[in-house]
Amino acid sequence: MWGALLRRGGGRGTGGLRGLVSVGPPWSQVVSEAEKIVGYPTSFMSLRCLLSDELSNIAMQVRKLVGTKHPLLDTARQRSLAEITELIHTAFLVHRGIVNIGELKSCDGPLKDMQFGNKMAVLSGDFLLANACTSLAQLQNTKVVELISSAIGDLVQGIYYENSKSSEENSLTDDIGISTWKEQVFLSHSALLAKSCQAAMELAKHSAEIQDMAFQYGKHMSMSHKLHSDLQPFVKESSSDTTAFSLNSAPAVLHQEFLGREAWIKQIREAQGKGNIMDYKKLREAIKAGKGVTSAIDLCRCHGKRALAALERFPPSEARAALANIVYAVTRFP
């Protein structure tokens, strides 16, 4: 999608992006429309695709153009960067799927099978990451390599912090404020997209200013997306939902800031029943009664507005409209 946008230039656009609207197309429709613009599905990942002989043959033929000025090479590099980004993202998701053997129950399956699954998760994630790094080097752009490599470093740092500081399901939440929450989310969720957007502009040889606008869009859109995800347990219409949610999600963190640490811990203990089993329905209602949910919605829309402001630096086009619709989709609530 960024390839379609950057081929139209980087001048200031006009109209259509000055404020968020309360309604907009649903996420699935937004993704479908974006896929039509770029000409291929965004969820390209499959082992059959990765190991396809036909795909390998096409890649070999395109490599023959390296060193020439044929426009097909530039097009391939936009698409290649998008696939590199998704490979990295998928690799880390696979690695996150490793289970803690010490917390397994008998109903989870045989220990031997779970250990084998962990080994496959490690190897599969490493395989995807190695492929991404190989493709990254083939772009032959040192700044792009530096950007994406630093994004991988950010991911590792963010996930390491999550794992080292994360609480068990029934223990108390970490004492973090919303500013710390933002720092952690940028590392573990936003850095890869933000720096990939910037790298796309670098490959198209746009100015540093335009590259920064692309970075800002990726950063603030992904922050809005994370906030939207964190808010889902609190904005669903069903009040009987007992699904667990993270005590370090944005609404909970903001609720703690308004309420105070001691009062928040008291609410958590009151929601813990026998055997320290958390009553998430009770705790959810306590958070919804405070200011955490509305503040998280406001913060989500604030990041959305900053993402749209970055898009205004690009000329009107189908691609820019699609990117704006993504923002609208993650900033709409029931």
Side-chain angles (χ1 to χ4, degrees), residues 48-105:
R48 184 173 63 181
C49 176
L50 282 174
L51 302 177
S52 166
D53 290 336
E54 291 82 3
L55 190 66
S56 298
N57 288 334
I58 292 173
M60 288 178 64
Q61 298 303 319
V62 171
R63 287 192 189 104
K64 294 179 181 179
L65 296 175
V66 173
T68 73
K69 294 184 179 181
H70 196 285
L72 175 61
L73 190 60
D74 286 335
T75 302
R77 285 174 174 167
Q78 288 320 310
R79 176 151 188 174
S80 180
L81 178 60
E83 293 181 352
I84 288 168
T85 301
E86 189 168 357
L87 276 171
I88 294 170
H89 177 66
T90 305
F92 277 88
L93 288 180
V94 171
H95 279 158
R96 279 182 166 183
I98 296 172
V99 298
N100 188 336
I101 298 296
E103 296 179 357
L104 289 178
K105 301 176 183 178

Side-chain angles (χ1 to χ4, degrees), residues 211-223:
Q211 289 181 35
D212 182 61
M213 290 301 102
F215 176 93
Q216 295 301 324
Y217 172 82
K219 172 185 175 181
H220 292 294
M221 191 283 289
S222 58
M223 293 291 288

Side-chain angles (χ1 to χ4, degrees), residues 162 176 178 181-182 185 189 222-236 244-254 284 287 292-293 296-297 299-300 330 333:
E162 285 181 0
I176 64 172
I178 194 62
W181 180 91
K182 286 183 178 181
V185 168
H189 292 82
S222 58
M223 293 291 288
S224 289
H225 185 273
K226 183 62 168 66
L227 283 157
H228 186 272
S229 177
D230 280 8
L231 278 160
Q232 291 312 296
F234 304 93
V235 298
K236 291 178 181 177
F245 57 89
S246 171
L247 300 184
N248 289 319
S249 62
V253 171
L254 286 164
R284 180 183 290 105
I287 294 174
V293 175
I297 291 175
L299 186 59
C300 178
V330 298
F333 297 93

Side-chain angles (χ1 to χ4, degrees), residues 79-156:
R79 176 151 188 174
S80 180
L81 178 60
E83 293 181 352
I84 288 168
T85 301
E86 189 168 357
L87 276 171
I88 294 170
H89 177 66
T90 305
F92 277 88
L93 288 180
V94 171
H95 279 158
R96 279 182 166 183
I98 296 172
V99 298
N100 188 336
I101 298 296
E103 296 179 357
L104 289 178
K105 301 176 183 178
S106 57
C107 60
D108 293 327
L111 178 61
K112 183 178 180 181
D113 291 343
M114 300 302 287
Q115 290 174 331
F116 177 77
N118 274 358
K119 291 178 181 178
M120 288 302 298
V122 171
L123 291 173
S124 299
D126 289 349
F127 169 77
L128 296 176
L129 194 57
N131 272 271
C133 293
T134 300
S135 299
L136 184 61
Q138 291 171 351
L139 292 178
Q140 298 183 338
N141 186 302
T142 54
K143 184 174 181 180
V144 170
V145 171
E146 180 183 355
L147 282 169
I148 304 302
S149 297
S150 66
I152 294 174
D154 291 335
L155 268 171
V156 172

